[in-house]
Amino acid sequence: MDVIPYFLSGLILGSIYGLTTLGLSLIFGVLRVVNVAHGSFVMLGAYAAYFAFILWAWPPFATALLAFAIGALLGYLVYIGVIKPLNKAGELNVLVALFALGALIAEIARLLWGPDFVGYRWNIGSVEVAGLQIDISKLAGAVLALAIALSLDLLLRRTYFGRSIRAVVQDPVGAMVVGINVDRVFAASAAIGIAITTVGGVFLTLFIPVGINPYMGGPYTLIGFVIAVLGGLGSLLGAYTAGLLLGVIESLGFYAFSVAGFAEPSEMALFLEFALLLLVLLFKPTGLFKL
Amino acid sequence: MALSLQQLSSGYGRLQVLFGISLEVPAKSIISLLGPNGAGKSTTLWTVMGVVRPWEGRILLEGTDATRVPPHRKVELGLALVPEGRRLFPEMTVEENLLMGAFTKRAREKVHDTLEFVYALFPRLRERRRQRAGTMSGGEQQMLAIARALMSRPKVLLIDEPSAGLAPKIVSDLFQTVKRLKEEMSVLLVEQNVAAALEISDYSYVLENGRIVLQGRPEELAANEHVKKAYLGV
């Protein structure tokens, strides 16, 4: 067995991890709020991909646009309805409310769509890379995820709107006195952040052909935290890069643990990720990619 | 009148800080607001800017009521604040900070002219324009904070404690620059360094415990026994 295919498929999965975490990282950077409902929005994106595919035969990349719109609307509502009114009462209140919201969304999903695992398969062929058959759909998903991450970074650097977001991240009071409508930046960041999270959920379905379920979000919230911490919370390209890294670690870990004969190699790979999180928190709490 | 405050009261939560302050800033003048730590000087500026909500009274900007106008709209109307602690964007370069200062639509249109104007006013900033703001000295950061506020092309500039933490020589250079601003705009200057502030002011107010206790022309205040004892150390 060769390591390279595992490395490659780790990179491809990691690109999707990176994408789903961008939203978490953006929301934390701007609003200083940890979106503990993250996984539930990933789940909504996954269901959107599933229903659009089986009902209207939409390819997931078309659904991504719809998911972005739904996510943006939900993100805006979350800001107006939860984060803004509770922010003055303290961080813990927002955290608890978002946790409750995440659980509520999962329960509503269960009421509407049932508790069973569902899934779909979008097969558009495969290509051979370094001796490994890779689904074109997965490869395209990874490339698109990279493109989205880079465009978001460019948006933040090159546009007035993006600069206003960066200004709020660096000093909200300074942003206010130069004439930035900080409240609007907060609302827009929540909307874009959750929109991207939802799109991440759509892309994720390419990798989990039978893994869509109302409660699927939990692990992704955890993985999201690991990635965001690795990348340095609030650093977008850091989050994406950390996503790649985590995908590779997960994939290589799975390989190593299976070769070593462990009964549950994927569980062990997950253990490896959290061990890494612990180490980073202990020795480099600002993240691997932030000075 | 460029800016006038009428019986303005405000505070934080239930804590009242300002008790009915009235003051006037005529066009093209430097007005200083003096007083000890905790008197409410910064709170006055935050309230004028709209960051702290006014409880009572009115804020008039060029004769128009701006009491309830939020901060970002105030900047558009021609008010700019150089806040306490400077509040620069530390990860951005000097020039990026200045460009952020010209964020409002009104300022954006003339951003190149304004940039030339502030670079002429602070040549040091032109030399340092590629440097990250967070890595500059205190004096340079204060220059940048003032320059960033000027980028919005204000009619009234509010400056909070520009002398804080700076060496006397740097303070006097900075105050000479502030004095030159009078040709273009009005300045409301909050200072604890009373001697330096009186030198460049046209008129001054003394704030104690959230109330204006004294006001007058600089030479009058400098001759006042209370001011001499409490603020000038003579």
Side-chain angles (χ1 to χ4, degrees):
Chain A
M1 245 190 179
D2 200 354
V3 178
I4 291 174
Y6 282 92
F7 181 77
L8 272 180
S9 59
L11 272 184
I12 290 171
L13 178 64
S15 183
I16 309 297
Y17 279 177
L19 175 68
T20 47
T21 313
L22 286 180
L24 192 72
S25 195
L26 180 71
I27 291 171
F28 181 80
V30 177
L31 294 126
R32 300 278 138 187
V33 161
V34 178
N35 179 19
V36 283
H38 176 78
S40 288
F41 295 104
V42 173
M43 177 270 293
L44 287 182
Y47 269 103
Y50 168 70
F51 283 118
F53 187 84
I54 58 161
L55 295 179
W56 312 315
W58 280 23
F61 298 132
T63 311
L65 292 172
L66 175 70
F68 189 92
I70 295 172
L73 178 66
L74 291 175
Y76 180 75
L77 293 176
V78 168
Y79 175 70
I80 294 296
V82 180
I83 300 176
K84 189 181 178 184
L86 287 176
N87 225 352
K88 278 180 191 149
E91 284 169 15
L92 192 62
N93 298 49
V94 179
L95 212 63
V96 171
L98 286 175
F99 184 77
L101 179 72
L104 182 71
I105 293 174
E107 291 308 322
I108 292 173
R110 193 186 66 97
L111 274 178
L112 292 175
W113 307 317
D116 300 330
F117 279 97
V118 295
Y120 71 99
R121 199 170 243 298
W122 184 52
N123 196 347
I124 49 169
S126 61
V127 283
E128 195 183 303
V129 183
L132 174 74
Q133 289 291 323
I134 298 177
D135 290 348
I136 291 174
S137 60
K138 290 183 184 176
L139 196 60
V143 172
L144 262 176
L146 173 66
I148 293 172
L150 290 176
S151 345
L152 190 66
D153 184 66
L154 210 63
L155 175 90
L156 289 189
R157 281 175 200 286
R158 295 290 155 81
T159 64
Y160 265 103
F161 173 67
R163 286 196 197 119
S164 69
I165 291 183
R166 286 206 304 149
V168 172
V169 170
Q170 293 181 28
D171 196 318
V173 174
M176 209 181 279
V177 302
V178 299
I180 292 169
N181 184 345
V182 174
D183 190 53
R184 216 182 66 183
V185 169
F186 281 173
S189 302
I192 296 175
I194 288 180
I196 290 179
T197 304
T198 313
V199 170
V202 172
F203 280 36
L204 201 63
T205 57
L206 298 169
F207 295 81
I208 44 167
V210 288
I212 303 169
N213 161 286
Y215 305 114
M216 66 183 277
Y220 294 106
T221 304
L222 292 176
I223 292 173
F225 289 167
V226 177
I227 297 169
V229 169
L230 284 180
L233 273 164
S235 152
L236 291 188
L237 285 186
Y240 181 79
T241 318
L244 284 183
L245 185 67
L246 202 77
V248 170
I249 289 171
E250 190 175 310
S251 186
L252 290 183
F254 178 83
Y255 170 66
F257 288 121
S258 355
V259 170
F262 280 84
E264 297 263 14
S266 64
E267 296 300 315
M268 287 305 292
L270 205 61
F271 163 76
L272 197 65
E273 288 165 15
F274 286 102
L276 186 69
L277 171 69
L278 216 57
L279 286 176
V280 170
L281 282 175
L282 273 174
F283 297 109
K284 202 147 183 327
T286 52
L288 292 178
F289 303 102
K290 219 175 184 182
L291 296 175
Chain B
M1 211 48 67
L3 172 71
S4 57
L5 314 188
Q6 301 175 346
Q7 296 296 323
L8 194 64
S9 297
S10 79
Y12 306 94
R14 285 185 191 162
L15 177 73
Q16 185 164 4
V17 178
L18 300 182
F19 297 85
I21 297 212
S22 298
L23 66 78
E24 307 224 290
V25 182
K28 307 209 164 159
S29 64
I30 299 181
I31 304 302
S32 53
L33 183 60
L34 314 170
N37 239 336
K41 303 188 300 296
S42 295
T43 304
T44 306
L45 296 190
W46 289 122
T47 309
V48 172
M49 202 60 207
V51 176
V52 172
R53 191 180 52 84
W55 292 7
E56 274 170 38
R58 297 211 302 163
I59 299 163
L60 301 181
L61 197 58
E62 296 195 305
T64 316
D65 192 319
T67 313
R68 305 274 162 214
V69 175
H72 62 275
R73 294 270 310 127
K74 288 242 177 69
V75 180
E76 191 85 50
L77 292 177
L79 200 62
L81 171 64
V82 183
E84 196 180 12
R86 293 152 198 152
R87 299 298 191 155
L88 298 170
F89 306 118
E91 308 290 325
M92 296 189 195
T93 64
V94 168
E95 192 151 295
E96 283 174 322
N97 267 276
L98 292 174
L99 294 176
M100 288 312 301
F103 189 79
T104 60
K105 207 187 244 174
R106 183 172 60 86
R108 247 180 250 186
E109 288 162 5
K110 295 184 174 171
V111 61
H112 294 292
D113 293 352
T114 326
L115 199 59
E116 279 310 307
F117 169 73
V118 302
Y119 277 151
L121 206 60
F122 299 105
R124 179 72 67 86
L125 294 181
R126 194 199 296 269
E127 291 165 23
R128 300 273 158 120
R129 54 201 241 250
R130 304 259 169 262
Q131 192 173 335
R132 275 198 313 142
T135 65
M136 296 202 302
S137 74
E140 289 163 346
Q141 289 197 15
Q142 191 61 58
M143 286 178 200
L144 179 55
I146 294 175
R148 185 182 68 181
L150 291 174
M151 290 301 294
S152 70
R153 302 184 78 92
K155 294 162 194 158
V156 180
L157 181 64
L158 314 171
I159 312 182
D160 199 348
E161 298 271 3
S163 76
L166 302 184
K169 167 77 176 109
I170 296 173
V171 172
S172 90
D173 287 353
L174 205 61
F175 274 43
Q176 284 317 306
T177 311
V178 170
K179 198 173 171 184
R180 284 168 57 194
L181 294 176
K182 204 161 80 160
E183 295 159 24
E184 313 274 339
M185 66 196 73
S186 311
V187 176
L188 176 57
L189 174 69
V190 154
E191 255 305 334
Q192 280 195 67
N193 186 339
V194 171
L198 286 179
E199 244 175 69
I200 60 164
S201 303
D202 294 302
Y203 197 83
S204 300
Y205 296 82
V206 178
L207 189 67
E208 289 178 5
N209 299 317
R211 295 177 174 86
I212 304 272
V213 293
L214 263 178
Q215 53 178 292
R217 300 183 55 78
E219 59 274 16
E220 293 164 9
L221 287 185
N224 180 286
E225 282 306 318
H226 175 67
V227 172
K228 274 194 198 169
K229 232 185 251 164
Y231 301 109
L232 296 172
V234 287

